[in-house]
Amino acid sequence: MSDALINGLAGAGGGIIAQLITYPLQTVNTRQQTERDLKKEKRKLGTIEEMLRVVKHEGWERLYGGLMPSLGGTAASQGVYYYFYQIFRNKAEATALERKRRGIGDGSVGMFSSLVVAALSGCVNVLLTNPIWVVVTRMQTHTKISKKSLSNQPLPPPDETVLSIVDPLPYGTSHVIQEVYDEAGFWGFWKGVVPTLIMVSNPSIQFMLYETMLKKLKKKRSLHRQGNDGVTALEIFLLGALAKLGATVVTYPLLVVKARLQAKQNTTGDKRHHYKGTLDAILKMIRYEGFSGFYKGMSTKIVQSVLAAAVLFMVKEELVKGARVLLTPNTMKSMPP
């Protein structure tokens, strides 16, 4: 089994586990990002308050709206990303060694090369998996209000019901796919692809920070332990968390724009709520919400992203180690009966 395939499968496994643990936070964060409080009259809810509100009015299942396509998307995204990342990484390492033989460099992959490798992998991933995330975003932002809630509470003004729809009927994956296709045809599944492509800088920055910190830690460890540069699962967990934190802070505004474009829009009401494209969304958000609109739900996203990335790195590394141990003939022979 190739190293690229091992990393791809391990990345998919780690991504699924991380997704299961952090999905309710992701749902709340998507709702926070797509909420448009133009009059600033509604009291902004914190993460825990928003989760409790969803559970009270819509049920526990709404915190896991879109979970199945999201798990499929996570497995596909992580698998595709790590597979192509390893392929591009191997080519970058081969190029670095060739340059060393010619007397250029020390044979290691530099920060810029790591950034390019991560960016190329991210672009391939985005182009192949964007339709899945359009479906997931629609399902996460879909609000299901019970008849009891409708009878006890008056309907809010039209300009405050933008992305949410009142629909007691089932809202499954097939419904969303049909809805997106009816609205915008085949290309509707690639809504938000422009900011998402720009956002490949997020994993690029994340992996650049992660590998830089990991390289320094291994170097320091080898000096103190006479060549032993082993890193524990806890250390990988912390490195992954720090790397994701730095990347999230830088790229969060693009994530909000992407969510706004992919969520269901009100095309018949206030035009301030309808985005024609990436630039239109950015300009309208600046005009009607200010720059603070680009950072809605950021605290929730930081918690969710850091926790998910830390779990992902830890599980992936352990799966890769386990796979290599199982696939190494000498290791199998040396194991006791």
Side-chain angles (χ1 to χ4, degrees):
M1 186 180 292
S2 69
D3 205 40
L5 184 57
I6 291 176
N7 276 271
L9 294 175
I16 289 176
I17 294 175
Q19 187 82 331
L20 286 171
I21 294 174
T22 65
Y23 196 79
L25 287 172
Q26 186 179 354
T27 298
V28 169
N29 178 242
T30 303
R31 292 191 175 204
Q32 291 172 334
Q33 291 172 343
T34 54
E35 178 184 325
R36 300 162 200 193
D37 188 15
L38 299 181
K39 293 185 177 181
K40 299 183 178 179
E41 293 176 350
K42 293 167 62 178
R43 185 172 68 90
K44 293 183 179 180
L45 300 177
T47 303
I48 302 300
E49 290 177 306
E50 178 67 20
M51 291 179 69
L52 293 176
R53 189 198 66 78
V54 172
V55 172
K56 180 180 179 180
H57 296 287
E58 304 176 51
W60 282 97
E61 68 275 8
R62 292 312 305 157
L63 288 176
Y64 292 89
L67 177 62
M68 294 309 296
S70 181
L71 288 177
T74 298
S77 293
Q78 297 297 338
V80 168
Y81 183 86
Y82 281 109
Y83 179 79
F84 283 98
Y85 179 84
Q86 195 61 46
I87 289 177
F88 294 142
R89 178 78 183 182
N90 291 340
K91 291 184 178 180
E93 290 176 349
T95 301
L97 290 175
E98 179 63 27
R99 286 169 59 85
K100 182 181 179 181
R101 281 194 287 268
R102 287 183 285 171
I104 305 173
D106 59 357
S108 63
V109 178
M111 290 181 63
F112 179 76
S113 296
S114 296
L115 186 66
V116 172
V117 166
L120 289 174
S121 306
C123 287
V124 175
N125 174 40
V126 167
L127 293 173
L128 293 178
T129 64
N130 195 75
I132 300 175
W133 299 115
V134 171
V135 172
V136 172
T137 300
R138 290 291 182 101
M139 296 182 75
Q140 288 177 333
T141 55
H142 175 80
T143 303
K144 180 180 178 181
I145 302 178
S146 64
K147 293 181 179 179
K148 181 179 179 181
S149 299
L150 289 174
S151 61
N152 294 336
Q153 299 178 5
L155 290 174
D159 62 342
E160 291 185 7
T161 54
V162 181
L163 297 174
S164 301
I165 57 176
V166 180
D167 186 0
L169 298 175
Y171 194 70
T173 305
S174 60
H175 297 83
V176 180
I177 293 174
Q178 186 64 50
E179 180 182 81
V180 173
Y181 183 78
D182 291 342
E183 287 180 9
F186 178 77
W187 294 111
F189 294 98
W190 272 268
K191 282 187 175 182
V193 73
V194 173
T196 309
L197 281 172
I198 300 174
M199 275 185 61
V200 298
S201 59
N202 184 291
S204 299
I205 295 171
Q206 176 187 344
F207 272 87
M208 181 181 67
L209 292 173
Y210 173 75
E211 293 202 348
T212 300
M213 291 187 293
L214 182 62
K215 184 177 179 180
K216 289 183 178 180
L217 181 60
K218 285 185 175 182
K219 184 177 181 179
K220 182 177 180 181
R221 188 64 51 78
S222 64
L223 293 175
H224 288 80
R225 296 187 181 180
Q226 298 179 348
N228 182 8
D229 61 353
V231 180
T232 66
L234 177 60
E235 289 170 332
I236 292 174
F237 182 96
L238 295 175
L239 290 179
L242 288 173
K244 188 62 178 181
L245 176 60
T248 299
V249 171
V250 174
T251 60
Y252 189 76
L254 288 170
L255 187 63
V256 175
V257 174
K258 183 204 75 166
R260 295 286 183 96
L261 291 170
Q262 292 181 344
K264 183 177 178 63
Q265 298 181 43
N266 184 1
T267 58
T268 59
D270 197 327
K271 294 301 181 182
R272 294 177 297 178
H273 304 151
H274 178 60
Y275 304 136
K276 298 178 181 178
T278 302
L279 183 59
D280 185 49
I282 293 173
L283 293 177
K284 284 182 177 177
M285 287 179 67
I286 293 174
R287 181 178 179 183
Y288 300 116
E289 301 177 56
F291 287 99
S292 61
F294 292 99
Y295 289 93
K296 285 185 175 180
M298 184 173 181
S299 59
T300 305
K301 183 60 180 178
I302 288 176
V303 174
Q304 185 270 328
S305 294
V306 169
L307 179 58
V311 172
L312 167 62
F313 278 114
M314 183 177 67
V315 174
K316 172 186 173 291
E317 293 296 334
E318 291 302 309
L319 290 176
V320 169
K321 288 179 184 178
R324 285 173 177 168
V325 168
L326 292 175
L327 295 174
T328 302
N330 293 334
T331 304
M332 297 294 292
K333 293 179 181 179
S334 62
M335 292 178 63

